[in-house]
Amino acid sequence: MSASLLLSWREGVSVEDGEGEFRLQGPGSRVVLRQLSPAVRAALSQLVPPGRDEDHLDELVLDAGGPTALAGWYHRLNDLAQRGFLCRAVTLDGRRLLTLVPVSPSFAFLPLNPIPDCPHQLSRFAYLRREGRTFVLESPLAHARLVLEDPRVVGLVGALAEPGSPSELIGRVPALPPDTIPLLLGVLVTAGMIQAIRPGGADAADESPALQTWEFHDLLFHSRIRQGRSDAPYGATYRMVGRLDPPPTLKPERTGEGLDLYRPADPLGADDPRLAEVVGRRRSIREYSDRPITDRQLGEFLFRVARVTAEQEVDLDTPRGVVRMGFAARPYPAGGGLYELEVYAAIQSCDGLAPGLYHYDPRRHRLGPVCGKTVEFGRLVADAAASAGIPTESVQVVLILSSRFQRVAWKYASIAYALTLKHVGVMYQTMYLTATAMNLAPCGLGGGDADLFARAAGTDYYAETSVGEFLLGSVGEAGTV
Ligand SMILES: Cc1cc2nc3c(=O)[nH]c(=O)nc-3n(C[C@H](O)[C@H](O)[C@H](O)COP(=O)(O)O)c2cc1C
């Protein structure tokens, strides 16, 4: 049994070897290679899958063109890897064990050097997941993805939870022939999935103070919502067209009684201070007047922040045909004009409104009762009070923002949830400024229990749940602005 390291075109790459040039079509781009030396040309023509041994290709180029041609070959490989045309596979008797697929223009295609016989360990950022019928090993530190095509390699990755030198790992994973282990570890090192550990030391990656502060989920989220470390589709791809209908413009209205809210007269905010003054005065206020906020103030606040200002149906040109979709504008900006955020009011104390959880209907400017003073309602209010460090009894209104996630995820790839969180920030500032202009007490909150909210509101956690909380009340002595 013998292991090899094969270089080949990545799956999905088609090659045309025309007169004087090589034309490559990859999953995301196209490239034409011209003025190739005969040595490089001969080597490139061997990259048709399953590909050729990397050492063999190096020798071929060296023999035909000398060291200059070899340097040109490495340069060419690096360029092709960064553009996503190449992959590198460890094979055993012609069967793939592990394939490295570069996913970013920052990938550095370095020759695979023998790794030292010192302990190596899996990065705390590496994660394994199923994609189709294979396991993939990915990491927000890496510019390549590893496809694990043999369960024995999954065993090796598992064995790397504990630091181990190549010779120790040969003992830990007896199912793999010994000569495959150094090769597999070499690929894991070049992909950035494992690193050498100093004797008695911690995970080497943890030694950088900048990296130490990142939690796994935060860095993964960051690396996937920004471009540069993934070859996944990105942006307005209309990813769900053809599979799901466009999600509704507004949350379907609740049945049962609704309470019409006060509509402020035109022109809105005629008595408001100037914008610069409002911005200058804005503060988070956590102390309230003994006289609670009124239904009229809450009505005006919601009207100014979140009402539907216009509605229209639009024929959208998508990559899979024209789709008709509804839009409802609001006073604040939102990506794609999709407005997936819903507003709920957990009212503990508001003159003119009974305590309980309400849903705001932004089209009709009404509050729909969701539940009364249930255990869940009490916990939502208590959690908000704890976040602000104030007594639960003092809370007047907790505005809870929920997201109908499908509304954005239907259209946007990679960035849907990030957009929703940006919208929460946009709404917070709109609420802060509106409350300040109205002489109310605003305070944004940084966290809340999305499972608890889903139970209280009777929503499906995966379809709609809370993403933001905001305290609102009447201004007391200390907070008078
Ligand atoms: C996204 C966000 C989250 C916040 N989370 C909390 C919180 O959980 N508890 C709290 O008391 N204040 C919270 N605040 C208010 C900040 O503490 C406050 O804005 C900051 O101290 C600056 O003070 P100022 O708003 O009075 O200018 C939050 C504000 C924002 C914008």
Side-chain angles (χ1 to χ4, degrees), residues 282-284 286 387-388 428 432 443-446:
R282 185 217 54 79
R283 291 286 176 276
S284 298
R286 303 169 185 82
S387 289
Y428 272 23
Y432 261 114
C443 184
L445 299 179

Side-chain angles (χ1 to χ4, degrees), residues 224-266:
R224 292 301 304 269
I225 65 163
R226 307 292 302 167
Q227 285 173 289
R229 292 205 172 185
S230 167
D231 58 355
Y234 189 91
T237 60
Y238 290 96
R239 52 191 284 271
M240 288 292 160
V241 171
R243 285 168 64 187
L244 296 175
D245 288 337
T249 317
L250 298 167
K251 183 177 165 82
E253 284 148 13
R254 303 178 72 89
T255 50
E257 278 191 21
L259 304 165
D260 285 323
L261 287 167
Y262 166 73
R263 283 172 186 268
D266 254 357

Side-chain angles (χ1 to χ4, degrees), residues 86-227:
L86 290 181
C87 69
R88 194 178 226 177
V90 177
T91 64
L92 181 65
D93 296 332
R95 189 181 153 186
R96 276 194 184 187
L97 297 178
L98 170 72
T99 304
L100 178 150
V101 184
V103 295
S104 125
S106 305
F107 179 77
F109 194 87
L110 301 171
L112 212 64
N113 293 318
I115 64 163
D117 196 36
C118 68
H120 285 69
Q121 190 178 24
L122 195 64
S123 159
R124 72 183 174 94
F125 291 101
Y127 61 97
L128 199 56
R129 69 185 178 92
R130 179 180 69 81
E131 193 174 77
R133 288 173 175 266
T134 48
F135 260 135
V136 287
L137 185 65
E138 296 172 308
S139 161
L141 300 184
H143 295 277
R145 169 173 54 244
L146 294 181
V147 184
L148 311 189
E149 284 153 307
D150 189 297
R152 291 171 292 180
V153 182
V154 179
L156 175 64
V157 172
L160 281 157
E162 278 282 327
S165 65
S167 46
E168 282 167 341
L169 287 157
I170 287 171
R172 277 189 213 166
V173 194
L176 280 169
D179 70 325
T180 60
I181 299 224
L183 263 186
L184 290 166
L185 293 177
V187 175
L188 286 162
V189 168
T190 59
M193 302 297 173
I194 64 172
Q195 62 261 316
I197 304 293
R198 287 178 308 155
D203 193 323
D206 279 352
E207 288 169 12
S208 142
L211 200 52
Q212 274 179 45
T213 58
W214 281 99
E215 288 189 70
F216 164 75
H217 70 282
D218 274 339
L219 192 56
L220 176 57
F221 184 60
H222 176 67
S223 71
R224 292 301 304 269
I225 65 163
R226 307 292 302 167
Q227 285 173 289

